[in-house]
């Protein structure tokens, strides 16, 4: 069993690797290619849960935390509404969030 981590960057790296292994890069062949991949959004949501942030708080964290953006390969910070929409497709969060 792996030890628990206290590093959000470690969670981001692991979630991105898992997302890349099991999720297609885009939900549809018509998806915009200039945005974010599904594995990136999955990793952001995993880090959001780890940090116990709301969607707007996660957007702010991504804007201020260049190491996290670099780890996730983000060129720009997604709007909080993008994270809310992706939450529904990944089923990462419980229905109470």
């Amino acid at each position: 069993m792996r030890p628990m981590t206290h590093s959000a960057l470690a969670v981001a790296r692991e979630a991105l690797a898992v997302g890349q292994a099991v999720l297609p890069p885009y939900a549809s062949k018509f998806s915009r290619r200039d945005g974010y991949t599904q594995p990136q959004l999955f990793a952001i949501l995993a880090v959001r849960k780890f940090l116990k942030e709301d969607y707007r708080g996660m957007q702010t964290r991504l804007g201020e935390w260049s190491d996290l953006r670099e780890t996730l390969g983000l060129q720009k910070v997604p709007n909080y509404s993008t994270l809310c929409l992706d939450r529904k497709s990944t089923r990462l969060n419980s229905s109470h969030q």
Side-chain angles (χ1 to χ4, degrees):
M1 180 161 58
R2 290 188 204 181
M4 295 290 286
T5 183
H6 295 287
S7 169
L9 293 177
V11 169
R13 280 189 290 274
E14 187 71 23
L16 185 61
V18 168
Q20 289 170 335
V22 299
L23 295 171
Y26 300 97
S28 165
K29 66 180 182 177
F30 301 108
S31 296
R32 291 178 55 173
R33 300 300 199 253
D34 62 346
Y36 317 99
T37 65
Q38 287 192 111
Q40 286 173 319
L41 293 170
F42 173 78
I44 291 169
L45 293 174
V47 172
R48 183 187 85 80
K49 283 297 241 186
F50 178 78
L51 296 173
K52 299 179 179 145
E53 284 282 0
D54 61 10
Y55 296 107
R56 289 179 194 250
M58 194 63 214
Q59 179 186 14
T60 301
R61 286 256 187 155
L62 284 166
E64 296 174 347
W65 198 352
S66 62
D67 289 344
L68 182 56
R69 288 193 313 273
E70 184 179 317
T71 298
L72 296 173
L74 297 174
Q75 302 301 317
K76 56 185 180 176
V77 175
N79 188 285
Y80 76 93
S81 62
T82 302
L83 302 177
C84 293
L85 292 173
D86 194 62
R87 173 186 64 88
K88 293 176 184 172
S89 66
T90 60
R91 306 270 191 251
L92 179 64
N93 296 315
S94 68
S95 60
H96 301 293
Q97 293 273 323

